Amino acid sequence: MHSVLPEIEKVCSLLVQKKMIFRKDDQVGIVLFGTKDTDNTLTREVGGYKHVVILRNTKVVDGDFVKALQKLPRGTTDGDFLDAIIVGMDMLIRKFGRTKKRDKRLCLITNAQCPIKEALEGTKEKQVTTITKKLTARGMKMESIVFRGKLSQKANKGVMEENDRLLNIFSKETSTRLLYVENPVSLFGALRTRNINLVTVFRGDLEFTPNLSIKVWVYKKSGREKSPIVKRYSDKAPPNYKRVTHEVKIDYGYKSSEDPDRVVPPDQRIKGYGPQIVPISSAEWDAVKFKPEKGVKLFGFTDSSNVYRHHYMKDAYVFLPERGNTRAMVAVSALARAMKEMDKVAILRCVWTKGLKKVTIGVLTPNLSEKEHIPDSFYFNVLPFAEDVREFQFPSFSNFPASRQPNGKQLKAAANLIKKLDLAPHGQQEVLLPDFTPNPVSERFYRYLELKSKNPDVAVPSVDDTLKKITELDTHLLLQNKSVINSFCRSFDLKGNPMKKCRRLLGGKRSSSNDEEVKENISAEPANLIENASVKVEKIEDLTPAQDFVALIFDKDSSDWVVKAINEMKSKIFDLVEDPHKGDNYPKALEYLLLLRKSCILEQKSKQFNGFLKHICYFCQEKSLHSFCQYIASKDLTLISTTEAVDSDVTDEEARSFFVKPEPIVE
């Protein structure tokens, strides 16, 4: 246990630091067991309880507690956690009496590897049952955190099994947590540094029909942890005033525009709307407000496969049957098990409180309990409305040519790499469990806050070594799987893509040597297009068509603007080809064609470009404008092939041979 005491010191001192911020009136006591000395009240009064020390009696948290927890004494004997629990109970009873009014909690941190003394009367199990009854009678709760880590050869498995059995009795009889952690990271997350009381967001009927409903209570299952807010502090009050809060309050005053010195009282104020400030009375505001009725109603059932996990939004909720209502428990259990058996989920409409303007639509998923004393329940997740869902269409990998498809050896190497670097390997415990992984940003913030309270000029501390295991790459894991990583690298021959285009190419900012080798005869593109793209453009003008085209492509989020830009650029090119001015317009038409070609590759509109280029060539043949086709063929302008864009249906050979005419056969 000595090897993990530094981590226990960190997490316990952090617990007290947070209490000094969020629950500064909380009272805390510290009991150590397995120590060389003995110092507790029960030993002095009744005897026994050896090697148990009260390090700090119960009192309001302060900086002394933090100092005491940052340097805990090391023990030399086996520790009996039952003696420590009884001493802790005695401390709370002496301090707060036998009342249930206060929230009293015991937190036991142990490795549970030391033997427990035999009971004076009865068995150890009966002794633990007696203790749990006294805990419940006095309104005390207890959670146990067992830190095992890697077991040594000296560890007695029989003793550990017995201790686990005793701790399970505590957990079952008092309905409290029993957690097993194997590393310092899990220890940081296991000890709840902030105790958040559960509050129902809804109590009422889960309505299926006007004549059928179930009484339920709804709690938040998870919530987003917000970063602490540093409030303003006022030092204007005299230091000897004890009841001063030192808070800064802001009041707003409204003055008349006609008489700036007159303050308008609240009953004479009225809201305005629009630039003309149209006055709207409170009665009119109330008339147009949406006022849904409070309640939870069923829309219907659907297959679970119809609701996608990535559509879940915001926080999760849990639906429980009304406490003490047996009929509600039976009804919820029957419904949950039927939905689970049929693989169904329910769609609900929820208005949590009266007067709430927002209606929540979500999915109800059954959650079957594995413990006898915990009833079945439901999980509820908020779903987006159709307007909130963004559908991104991506081409399938199967559209790539065979030469760009991975072979069996490469797929096997990639699968092996993923398997070895997986943080949740099959058959093993996940490395970073969500319930036991702390937020490294907030943990570092509280550490810095504690240091700054002592020295205002202190620098921001470095990330703790334990937290680095969350934020940084595990070098041991990489070294352990070095052969797998090398095998993956050898399976792939990495080389530059000569046909790769990036958006900045449109601005002439970058040029690829491979592009020049492939199409060295293509003229340079217009420069400074990206800089001009920041100007708001609604259509392509005659003065700066290239810049306007780029602005339409990149400034608009909607795909409709992309289609509009492509169609308008087609019209500009077609006008230049139709009126060539003895070939003077050909270079400009080629410049626009190159710009259109690259944009269609980026926006996955290759079929539109290929169709347009074919249309121009057919038009030139009909109007005897063969010189334009010969001109663009001499510049190596081709159709967009499948090598350049996955959405194209033109092969490389078809793209290269598009402008090549068959030689006439001479008889």
Side-chain angles (χ1 to χ4, degrees):
M1 194 68 178
H2 288 182
S3 60
V4 298
L5 273 180
E7 308 301 333
I8 295 175
E9 291 170 347
K10 292 177 187 177
V11 71
C12 290
S13 59
L14 181 63
L15 169 65
V16 175
Q17 291 169 20
K18 287 190 177 181
K19 283 189 175 294
M20 292 172 63
I21 299 173
F22 299 106
R23 305 288 294 270
K24 55 186 177 182
D25 294 329
D26 280 7
Q27 300 188 38
V28 176
I30 306 172
V31 177
L32 305 178
F33 58 100
T35 57
K36 180 180 179 180
D37 301 325
T38 301
D39 184 11
N40 63 80
T41 308
L42 289 178
T43 301
R44 292 190 292 268
E45 292 183 356
V46 299
Y49 305 100
K50 297 292 185 180
H51 308 295
V52 179
V53 172
I54 298 178
L55 187 64
R56 287 289 187 277
N57 274 305
T58 308
K59 68 172 187 177
V60 177
V61 291
D62 56 17
D64 292 338
F65 274 91
V66 178
K67 293 179 181 179
L69 288 168
Q70 288 176 347
K71 192 62 178 177
L72 295 175
R74 272 51 175 170
T76 57
T77 60
D78 292 341
D80 189 330
F81 63 79
L82 286 185
D83 284 351
I85 292 172
I86 295 173
V87 171
M89 290 175 58
D90 179 68
M91 286 176 59
L92 293 176
I93 293 173
R94 291 175 185 272
K95 183 70 177 181
F96 304 110
R98 301 178 182 273
T99 179
K100 290 186 178 181
K101 293 182 179 180
R102 288 181 174 269
D103 184 14
K104 299 180 284 291
R105 183 166 68 116
L106 294 172
C107 181
L108 173 68
I109 302 177
T110 178
N111 59 5
Q113 295 183 17
C114 299
I116 303 298
K117 296 190 298 290
E118 294 294 335
L120 297 177
E121 296 181 2
T123 62
K124 297 178 183 178
E125 287 76 6
K126 288 185 178 180
Q127 183 183 9
V128 171
T129 304
T130 303
I131 296 173
T132 57
K133 290 180 180 179
K134 292 183 178 180
L135 284 170
T136 305
R138 288 163 176 76
M140 299 181 189
K141 297 180 180 179
M142 191 189 84
E143 60 178 308
S144 305
I145 300 175
V146 181
F147 191 101
R148 284 280 162 79
K150 295 182 179 180
L151 297 176
S152 63
Q153 295 180 353
K154 297 180 180 180
N156 191 328
K157 293 185 178 180
V159 171
M160 289 191 297
E161 290 176 359
E162 181 186 48
N163 291 340
D164 291 345
R165 187 168 62 253
L166 298 177
L167 290 172
N168 271 309
I169 296 175
F170 276 111
S171 176
K172 185 176 180 180
E173 296 295 332
T174 60
S175 299
T176 52
R177 300 193 309 164
L178 171 60
L179 305 176
Y180 290 87
V181 295
E182 297 182 356
N183 53 67
V185 174
S186 299
L187 178 63
F188 264 74
L191 184 60
R192 291 180 177 175
T193 53
R194 288 185 62 190
N195 191 21
I196 301 175
N197 296 325
L198 292 177
V199 180
T200 55
V201 297
F202 175 81
R203 294 188 184 188
D205 295 333
L206 170 56
E207 186 177 332
F208 298 92
T209 67
N211 300 322
L212 177 62
S213 61
I214 302 176
K215 295 287 184 181
V216 294
W217 287 7
V218 183
Y219 295 88
K220 262 195 175 184
K221 184 179 182 296
S222 62
R224 179 183 176 185
E225 183 179 2
K226 298 180 181 179
S227 300
I229 300 175
V230 181
K231 298 181 180 179
R232 296 180 179 179
Y233 179 86
S234 174
D235 57 355
K236 299 297 182 182
N240 55 350
Y241 282 22
K242 296 182 179 180
R243 296 187 178 182
V244 175
T245 60
H246 297 284
E247 294 181 359
V248 177
K249 295 184 179 180
I250 301 176
D251 291 330
Y252 294 92
Y254 297 86
K255 295 185 177 181
S256 172
S257 58
E258 299 176 354
D259 185 6
D261 296 331
R262 186 175 70 88
V263 178
V264 180
D267 58 340
Q268 296 181 12
R269 300 172 192 166
I270 193 169
K271 291 184 178 181
Y273 177 79
Q276 289 79 25
I277 312 181
V278 178
I280 301 177
S281 65
S282 57
E284 292 171 331
W285 274 112
D286 292 337
V288 298
K289 283 182 180 178
F290 177 58
K291 300 177 182 178
E293 182 182 355
K294 174 188 174 182
V296 177
K297 297 183 179 181
L298 173 74
F299 275 159
F301 297 93
T302 184
D303 294 335
S304 60
S305 58
N306 294 333
V307 181
Y308 299 110
R309 177 66 181 82
H310 61 273
H311 283 172
Y312 289 0
M313 300 176 63
K314 299 183 180 179
D315 304 327
Y317 299 82
V318 58
F319 277 60
L320 295 173
E322 185 181 44
R323 185 180 300 172
N325 191 334
T326 306
R327 297 181 61 186
M329 293 181 186
V330 174
V332 168
S333 179
L335 178 62
R337 292 177 183 275
M339 290 171 60
K340 186 71 174 180
E341 182 180 351
M342 301 176 67
D343 197 20
K344 298 286 185 179
V345 294
I347 307 299
L348 301 184
R349 173 191 183 274
C350 305
V351 180
W352 302 123
T353 58
K354 185 178 180 180
L356 188 67
K357 304 175 185 178
K358 188 176 181 180
V359 176
T360 301
I361 304 296
V363 56
L364 197 68
T365 307
N367 174 43
L368 305 186
S369 174
E370 297 179 354
K371 298 182 179 180
E372 295 180 359
H373 61 285
I374 298 179
D376 296 333
S377 58
F378 292 98
Y379 288 147
F380 178 81
N381 294 93
V382 181
L383 294 177
F385 291 95
E387 295 82 1
D388 300 326
V389 178
R390 297 182 180 181
E391 295 291 348
F392 296 99
Q393 299 295 333
F394 298 98
S396 173
F397 286 112
S398 60
N399 293 335
F400 283 100
S403 60
R404 298 176 64 184
Q405 295 277 358
N407 55 39
K409 181 181 178 181
Q410 292 172 334
L411 290 174
K412 184 178 179 180
N416 196 26
L417 177 69
I418 295 173
K419 181 180 179 181
K420 292 297 183 181
L421 298 184
D422 192 0
L423 294 179
H426 179 69
Q428 300 180 26
Q429 189 181 45
E430 187 176 351
V431 176
L432 297 176
L433 292 169
D435 291 339
F436 296 151
T437 303
N439 185 341
V441 176
S442 62
E443 303 297 317
R444 190 184 184 194
F445 171 82
Y446 292 119
R447 172 61 179 159
Y448 176 54
L449 200 62
E450 191 264 336
L451 295 176
K452 197 171 181 64
S453 65
K454 300 176 182 178
N455 181 11
D457 299 327
V458 69
V460 178
S462 59
V463 180
D464 187 83
D465 292 337
T466 302
L467 299 178
K468 284 183 179 179
K469 297 177 181 178
I470 305 174
T471 59
E472 296 182 359
L473 197 62
D474 188 354
T475 55
H476 176 71
L477 182 64
L478 293 180
L479 293 175
Q480 188 178 1
N481 298 285
K482 187 176 181 180
S483 60
V484 178
I485 298 174
N486 293 336
S487 175
F488 175 80
C489 295
R490 290 193 300 268
S491 300
F492 292 87
D493 183 18
L494 302 180
K495 57 183 179 180
N497 183 3
M499 307 306 295
K500 183 179 180 181
K501 305 293 188 298
C502 63
R503 290 182 182 269
R504 293 195 64 181
L505 278 173
L506 291 174
K509 290 291 183 180
R510 295 179 184 172
S511 61
S512 171
S513 59
N514 292 326
D515 282 342
E516 295 174 0
E517 293 175 4
V518 176
K519 298 183 178 181
E520 56 185 359
N521 294 326
I522 294 180
S523 60
E525 300 172 23
N528 300 326
L529 293 184
I530 295 298
E531 288 79 0
N532 295 327
S534 60
V535 181
K536 186 175 181 180
V537 176
E538 298 294 336
K539 66 176 183 177
I540 297 179
E541 302 289 349
D542 294 334
L543 187 61
T544 55
Q547 290 86 342
D548 295 344
F549 173 73
V550 174
L552 283 174
I553 287 287
F554 294 110
D555 274 6
K556 306 299 180 182
D557 296 330
S558 173
S559 59
D560 296 338
W561 285 96
V562 175
V563 175
K564 174 181 173 65
I566 292 175
N567 291 335
E568 291 189 6
M569 180 55 79
K570 287 180 181 178
S571 300
K572 294 293 181 184
I573 296 172
F574 197 83
D575 292 341
L576 293 173
V577 175
E578 191 176 21
D579 188 13
H581 286 285
K582 298 182 180 181
D584 293 341
N585 287 340
Y586 287 171
K588 186 62 68 175
L590 175 63
E591 177 186 336
Y592 296 163
L593 272 173
L594 291 173
L595 190 60
L596 178 64
R597 188 180 191 276
K598 292 189 176 183
S599 299
C600 288
I601 293 175
L602 292 173
E603 301 296 336
Q604 298 182 0
K605 303 288 184 182
S606 59
K607 293 182 180 179
Q608 291 194 26
F609 176 82
N610 291 341
F612 176 65
L613 189 59
K614 292 177 182 178
H615 174 68
I616 285 183
C617 292
Y618 295 151
F619 173 79
C620 292
Q621 292 176 5
E622 292 178 357
K623 301 297 182 180
S624 300
L625 297 173
H626 302 288
S627 57
F628 179 71
C629 293
Q630 295 172 359
Y631 177 77
I632 59 178
S634 65
K635 301 300 181 180
D636 290 344
L637 179 68
T638 64
L639 299 173
I640 299 175
S641 66
T642 54
T643 304
E644 298 175 277
V646 294
D647 63 322
S648 174
D649 54 2
V650 178
T651 63
D652 293 343
E653 184 178 354
E654 291 174 346
R656 288 192 299 268
S657 61
F658 177 68
F659 288 108
V660 178
K661 292 184 178 181
E663 295 291 337
I665 300 176
V666 180
E667 297 181 355

